[in-house]
Amino acid sequence: MRLPLPTYLLLGLLLASSPSVLAQKKPPTAASIEQRVSELLAQMTLAEKVGQLNQYSGRELTGPASNRKTDLLNSIRSGQVGSMPNVKGVAATRAIQAEALKSRLKIPLLFSLDVIHGYQTVFPIPLGEAASWDLAAIRESAHVAAREAAASGIHWTFAPMVDVGRDPRWGRVMEGAGEDTYLGSQIAKARVLGFQGSTLGGTDAIMGCAKHFAAYGAALAGRDYNVVDMSEQQLWEVYLPPFKAAADAGMATFMISFNTLNGIPTTGNSYLQRDILKGQWQYPGFVVSDWGSIKEMVAWGYALDKADAAQKAITAGSDMDMESDAYSSSLAQLVKNGKADVRLVDDAVRRILRKKFELGLFEDPYKFSDAKREKKVLSDPQHRMAARQMAQKSIVLLKNEQNTLPLTSRRKIALIGPLAKAKRDLAGSWVVLADTTQITSVYDGLTKRGGKSTPQVLYTKGCEVQGDSRAGFAQAVETAQAADVVVLTVGETWDMSGEAKSRTDIHLPGVQEELFQALKATGKPIVVIIMAGRPLIFNAIADQADAILYGWWPGSEGGTALANVLYGDYNPSGKLPATFPLSGGQIPISYQQYSTGRPVTKPGDIRYKSAYIDAPSTPRYAFGHGLSYTTFTYEGLKISQPTMSAGQTVQVQLTVTNTGQRAGEEVVQLYLRD
């Protein structure tokens, strides 16, 4: 069915002032891969085919002896494992790959990992990167992460998440690009190209994985692992386009989501996997379940038992079973009993083997496990520079009354708040190597401004992120009174957003806003830095602070990046990729609303209109909001023609001028309504 075009379109532009197989040593060509896959497939027993469809976590293999470790090793040696997540580092991946090469056909393993926003060098969380609206920078971030991961023996990352997220109660909003379909699609493409490069097989690239297919961002009530119920219009206009963009960009793999879609678990949803992805879109890659999602179809009430779940999953199109043990325990017998079609098994195996050939693992199973390259790549100083630049671009200036920012070095600073010296929290959720010695705190950033006159910084914590203790308030007030300006750092701890971190209340946690109000009473100008993994509600700060910077979780170089923005060494240009609600009752909220028959056309006139009687319908901060230390004028808006038909192109032109005293960057946004 042909569905209407999206109701809204957003545009953004950043302006800058077998043995026989193993015997082949030559790199595989695209023309030869299918023949080689077919030759190998013909040699495989049914048990070996099913083996390629199993993925088990390898975390236990790097630990002490256990029954689980022995079982896994035996499974690998007998060709019963196709992929392993949670093994990292050249030494570990090389040792485990050697076990796989003891199998009859010597088919190499795929090593996978959640490299979400960096491997060793931590970049801002994906939602923060999206605030840059800078596709080149986002692609470079993914490339650095891929380069480090590939040097450490990893072949495949479970990223990017391309779910559209419009409910900040859902903890996984931090993994995505925000609420907009168009921006999310462009960022999806950038991340695919960053992770994978132009073609698979390079040792500075890894396979990507578009997740979670599909509509996981619309989980009911913002609760993880929950149901999704939506119209075809919403599915096709809002939630599928970023996945289509990822597929068109060459995404190697897709991951199925945890939710149901209109009553059917996505893991067993043939409409999504067979009809759309592998049918209409002709997708050549393979599909992996999310962790345990095949066996979870029993809990959903969709499958009778694990064997029934395996039959439904392979029929629907799920090629690889992650940690359900459903295929390994049931699939071969299902085929023998005629309950599962062996052609579907062959198709799944073919898709997986194809990627192993494309990566070059049959020519050299250890090509990604080079100790010298690992050491060299992980010590590349350019990576931290890229992380700093990305962090700077991701910071959003929400408010700046009376040009409070940028600060001058002559002013004595009271640096207060529970996140002022925090390090682990700046890295955020989904961190591969949580080495706090590699993270720059806000305190470090302010006191170690390279090449600049070091400001005098007075520090006290004031309170914790969570809890109701106000014991540190008095010291905080005293510190503020001894300074010229207060820089208050508040937000979430690293484990308050992410998977399984849904919240009903997204107000700033604990007594952090009370601390702000106590400091406000001193009369000192207050700059607030908020670091979090989601949009938060902070109305007292929004109303009364002199300046507000939203830093998200900014990564390894976050403290330096924030210091550079505070002092004007970098002029902020970030724009919000998600709407910030005024009240939790407005959620879900997005700028991209469908029309109503009773719109509010005049402020205050809400009688029998689509509105709330106790609060505005408008958000605290709109999607796309973000200030600068300079000003811009938009002039000479022209449109090439007043109407357009399907297939036509309309040009919009304008002149953007920097009318301030500082160089700056501006994201020009164009919104259209059908």
Side-chain angles (χ1 to χ4, degrees):
M1 143 177 103
R2 183 178 293 277
L3 295 166
L5 290 171
T7 303
Y8 295 84
L9 177 65
L10 178 151
L11 303 176
L13 173 66
L14 183 66
L15 301 178
S17 150
S18 89
S20 62
V21 175
L22 286 169
Q24 299 187 43
K25 296 300 183 181
K26 294 181 179 179
T29 64
S32 69
I33 285 177
E34 291 305 313
Q35 179 181 348
R36 297 176 66 188
V37 170
S38 295
E39 290 173 353
L40 180 55
L41 194 61
Q43 298 178 55
M44 299 175 72
T45 64
L46 178 58
E48 288 169 332
K49 291 175 182 178
V50 172
Q52 287 301 298
L53 311 187
N54 297 319
Q55 183 180 76
Y56 297 110
S57 175
R59 191 174 284 119
E60 291 90 346
L61 292 181
T62 58
S66 66
N67 290 336
R68 167 74 170 172
K69 183 174 184 177
T70 299
D71 290 344
L72 280 174
L73 285 172
N74 288 335
S75 294
I76 293 170
R77 293 163 184 159
S78 60
Q80 298 305 301
V81 182
S83 172
M84 301 201 84
N86 301 323
V87 179
K88 55 182 180 286
V90 162
T93 56
R94 193 175 189 92
I96 296 172
Q97 191 71 280
E99 298 300 316
L101 298 182
K102 295 177 182 178
S103 63
R104 186 179 75 91
L105 294 177
K106 301 177 173 26
I107 301 175
L109 292 169
L110 284 173
F111 293 111
S112 52
L113 197 65
D114 288 291
V115 183
I116 306 301
H117 55 113
Y119 182 82
Q120 174 175 280
T121 306
V122 184
F123 284 77
I125 59 170
L127 185 61
E129 291 190 351
S132 73
W133 296 44
D134 190 326
L135 302 179
I138 292 171
R139 178 173 176 172
E140 177 63 16
S141 168
H143 171 65
V144 170
R147 187 167 182 253
E148 291 187 353
S152 300
I154 305 303
H155 310 132
W156 178 23
T157 177
F158 299 133
M161 190 187 91
V162 301
D163 296 302
V164 172
R166 296 180 172 178
D167 192 331
R169 296 173 300 180
W170 188 49
R172 301 195 80 161
V173 292
M174 57 81 58
E175 286 184 65
E179 72 181 50
D180 184 70
T181 303
Y182 178 79
L183 180 62
S185 296
Q186 299 305 306
I187 291 176
K189 178 180 178 180
R191 289 189 168 132
V192 173
L193 297 175
F195 282 128
Q196 297 187 173
S198 56
T199 57
L200 292 180
T203 53
D204 63 345
I206 54 180
M207 297 197 304
C209 184
K211 65 183 188 184
H212 307 83
F213 195 64
Y216 195 27
L220 187 65
R223 199 172 77 233
D224 238 337
Y225 321 120
N226 207 0
V227 302
V228 171
D229 191 35
M230 67 167 54
S231 67
E232 286 282 294
Q233 181 179 6
Q234 280 274 297
L235 179 66
W236 285 89
E237 289 188 355
V238 177
Y239 292 92
L240 288 182
F243 288 97
K244 182 60 164 64
D248 289 345
M251 178 63 78
T253 67
F254 267 53
M255 180 184 287
I256 288 301
S257 54
F258 280 119
N259 55 282
T260 57
L261 179 62
N262 299 333
I264 301 176
T266 56
T267 309
N269 197 309
S270 295
Y271 175 60
L272 281 175
Q273 298 180 68
R274 295 287 182 199
D275 296 353
I276 298 175
L277 182 61
K278 295 178 178 179
Q280 293 183 41
W281 296 356
Q282 293 293 294
Y283 179 66
F286 71 85
V287 177
V288 61
S289 77
D290 209 334
W291 189 288
S293 70
I294 293 181
K295 66 181 179 183
E296 286 173 12
M297 288 195 288
V298 178
W300 280 114
Y302 188 71
L304 294 173
D305 50 31
K306 193 158 65 172
D308 189 36
Q311 187 274 332
K312 285 181 165 61
I314 194 69
T315 301
S318 295
D319 301 310
M320 183 176 283
D321 175 4
M322 183 194 293
E323 278 290 331
S324 279
D325 196 33
Y327 286 176
S328 63
S329 63
S330 306
L331 190 52
Q333 193 61 46
L334 287 167
V335 171
K336 293 175 183 178
N337 293 342
K339 294 182 178 180
D341 193 334
V342 70
R343 292 174 298 180
L344 299 181
V345 175
D346 286 350
D347 177 66
V349 176
R350 181 179 294 276
R351 290 169 181 269
I352 294 165
L353 292 178
R354 184 184 295 135
K355 294 307 173 187
K356 294 184 178 184
F357 276 110
E358 289 175 0
L359 287 169
L361 295 179
F362 284 95
E363 283 66 43
D364 182 3
Y366 306 111
K367 68 180 291 187
F368 292 89
S369 299
D370 183 315
K372 290 183 178 179
R373 185 169 68 241
E374 180 181 41
K375 182 178 181 180
K376 179 180 179 181
V377 171
L378 294 185
S379 61
D380 190 338
Q382 296 298 318
H383 293 181
R384 290 191 69 91
M385 291 180 63
R388 183 184 308 172
Q389 292 169 359
M390 186 75 257
Q392 290 172 165
K393 290 175 178 289
S394 72
I395 295 166
V396 183
L397 179 61
L398 295 179
K399 184 179 182 181
N400 193 22
E401 296 294 312
Q402 306 297 318
N403 293 320
T404 301
L405 293 177
L407 302 176
T408 65
S409 296
R410 297 187 301 274
R411 306 185 81 180
K412 187 185 297 185
I413 297 172
L415 179 61
I416 301 172
L419 295 178
K421 286 190 174 182
K423 292 193 173 188
R424 176 64 186 88
D425 295 313
L426 270 65
S429 185
W430 288 119
V431 175
V432 176
L433 302 173
D435 183 359
T436 56
T437 66
Q438 300 296 313
I439 299 172
T440 304
S441 68
V442 177
Y443 179 85
D444 293 338
L446 284 174
T447 58
K448 299 176 183 178
R449 291 181 68 216
K452 304 289 184 179
S453 56
T454 303
Q456 185 175 356
V457 179
L458 310 175
Y459 163 76
T460 189
K461 193 170 190 177
C463 70
E464 301 293 339
V465 170
Q466 301 186 76
D468 57 7
S469 175
R470 300 163 182 81
F473 279 25
Q475 182 62 47
V477 168
E478 182 179 335
T479 302
Q481 290 171 333
D484 299 312
V485 61
V486 177
V487 175
L488 177 63
T489 61
V490 296
E492 292 183 313
T493 56
W494 70 269
D495 55 352
M496 293 183 72
S497 283
E499 184 176 356
K501 299 296 187 295
S502 299
R503 293 174 56 188
T504 60
D505 183 355
I506 62 166
H507 284 80
L508 198 64
V511 295
Q512 293 178 99
E513 273 199 294
E514 289 185 40
L515 175 60
F516 163 77
Q517 290 172 321
L519 296 172
K520 182 66 178 178
T522 66
K524 301 291 184 177
I526 302 183
V527 177
V528 180
I529 298 174
I530 303 175
M531 289 178 281
R534 52 159 57 93
L536 294 175
I537 298 173
F538 43 92
N539 289 323
I541 288 174
D543 288 335
Q544 302 171 38
D546 296 280
I548 305 173
L549 291 172
Y550 214 84
W552 313 98
W553 284 327
S556 297
E557 286 288 301
T560 302
L562 284 161
N564 288 344
V565 170
L566 284 170
Y567 280 96
D569 301 329
Y570 184 86
N571 188 351
S573 60
K575 306 290 184 183
L576 294 180
T579 300
F580 278 48
L582 182 68
S583 164
Q586 296 177 320
I587 299 170
I589 185 170
S590 163
Y591 88 89
Q592 199 173 0
Q593 304 283 343
Y594 289 114
S595 298
T596 173
R598 294 192 176 190
V600 176
T601 57
K602 296 179 182 179
D605 182 11
I606 63 170
R607 184 176 174 81
Y608 295 110
K609 300 293 177 66
S610 181
Y612 300 110
I613 63 171
D614 59 346
S617 300
T618 52
R620 168 57 76 176
Y621 296 108
F623 172 90
H625 173 76
L627 307 177
S628 171
Y629 295 153
T630 189
T631 55
F632 299 92
T633 59
Y634 289 48
E635 298 174 308
L637 182 65
K638 298 178 182 178
I639 188 167
S640 60
Q641 59 191 55
T643 61
M644 69 180 293
S645 302
Q648 286 186 318
T649 298
V650 172
Q651 289 187 340
V652 178
Q653 297 178 317
L654 73 158
T655 300
V656 181
T657 305
N658 184 344
T659 55
Q661 301 301 310
R662 294 174 176 269
E665 298 176 343
E666 174 72 344
V667 177
V668 177
Q669 302 166 50
L670 171 66
Y671 297 81
L672 305 179
R673 169 170 289 201
D674 181 359

